Amino acid sequence: TVEVWLPEECYGERHLLATLHNLSAGGLAMRTRRPIPTDTRVSFALHQPALSCYGDALVRHCTRAKVGYLIGVEFVFEAAPSDDIDG
């Protein structure tokens, strides 16, 4: 299961449950009952027997499937604060 939280500007329910389709180091694909527009930044939590994680992601594609939608997201990794004290 993938829990997804949509930003305030999205219509309707802002929390939804999706089914994990595949997972890679840079993102994941999931199936949902409703579409999520491309370029929407979402928060997610992934719950698998060997892994639980959470973070932010950017929707890269949303394709209507036979049942629901197949949505691909790219993980967003924030830059670590720099120890550089230049100006």
Side-chain angles (χ1 to χ4, degrees):
T1 301
V2 182
E3 284 189 274
V4 180
W5 291 270
L6 302 174
E8 286 185 27
E9 60 270 10
C10 284
Y11 62 91
E13 180 110 15
R14 291 190 48 230
H15 177 256
L16 58 106
L17 297 178
T19 302
L20 182 66
H21 184 68
N22 65 42
L23 175 66
S24 71
L28 61 82
M30 59 188 168
R31 290 193 183 274
T32 65
R33 292 185 182 176
R34 63 175 277 192
I36 302 174
T38 301
D39 296 326
T40 300
R41 187 171 176 145
V42 299
S43 295
F44 72 93
L46 175 63
H47 307 290
Q48 295 293 303
L51 169 73
S52 280
C53 63
Y54 64 91
D56 293 322
L58 195 59
V59 175
R60 291 300 185 192
H61 70 81
C62 178
T63 307
R64 186 161 181 79
K66 205 172 198 177
V67 176
Y69 296 85
L70 181 61
I71 297 174
V73 300
E74 179 182 359
F75 299 143
V76 175
F77 298 101
E78 300 296 335
S82 175
D83 290 336
D84 190 11
I85 308 180
D86 290 341

